[in-house]
Amino acid sequence: MANALYAKGREKILSGAVNFLADTIKVALIKADYAQNLVSDEFFTSIAASVLNTPQTLTGKSVTAGVFDAADTVFPVVTAGDTSEGLVIYKDTGVAGTSPLLVYIDNLTGFPFTTNGSTLTIEWDNGAFKIFSL
């Protein structure tokens, strides 16, 4: 699979239901058992069973020329013994059943990887497309 936007997430972005700068945007580390469906998966409840540790809030967010970026993200002490295939970015509404999935990312250096109990730092791309672009 390649990095992609969720269909329902695209709808929410284009309708103005997501404000990347003002909303709480989080990133979840996803287990390899996640059978993602970019067409029908819509809310955090679709991924909850496949999330490793606690999702992290993106900080230092920016939106410039249709490109979304944020500060590098740290997942402290990722539980050992699982395989992570990628990340899911979503808007956190405070309720799993209404927190929309936005972006699925699996094209990352070092992914998939086996967790070993250490801290994981996600270094977002510093190239032209940063985390993602529209």
Side-chain angles (χ1 to χ4, degrees):
M1 187 72 202
N3 300 348
L5 297 171
Y6 286 89
K8 296 292 186 177
R10 286 193 313 261
E11 287 178 15
K12 288 169 180 54
I13 292 166
L14 293 172
S15 70
V18 176
N19 180 328
F20 281 92
L21 298 179
D23 292 336
T24 300
I25 306 297
K26 291 191 174 183
V27 59
L29 188 61
I30 302 298
K31 295 179 190 178
D33 69 356
Y34 173 50
Q36 51 82 7
N37 185 322
L38 294 170
V39 174
S40 64
D41 289 350
E42 183 172 6
F43 298 110
F44 187 81
T45 49
S46 300
I47 67 169
S50 295
V51 172
L52 285 164
N53 289 50
T54 302
Q56 299 299 303
T57 301
L58 295 179
T59 62
K61 300 177 291 182
S62 67
V63 176
T64 305
V67 177
F68 177 64
D69 196 15
D72 292 345
T73 304
V74 176
F75 287 89
V77 191
V78 178
T79 305
D82 278 304
T83 299
S84 177
E85 71 177 15
L87 307 166
V88 171
I89 295 174
Y90 66 100
K91 173 184 171 178
D92 185 11
T93 65
V95 177
T98 63
S99 293
L101 305 178
L102 305 171
V103 184
Y104 175 79
I105 300 172
D106 68 351
N107 188 10
L108 292 158
T109 301
F111 278 74
F113 75 97
T114 301
T115 60
N116 62 11
S118 64
T119 297
L120 171 67
T121 300
I122 302 298
E123 295 180 4
W124 300 112
D125 184 4
N126 290 319
F129 299 113
K130 310 293 183 193
I131 296 176
F132 77 92
S133 67
L134 296 178

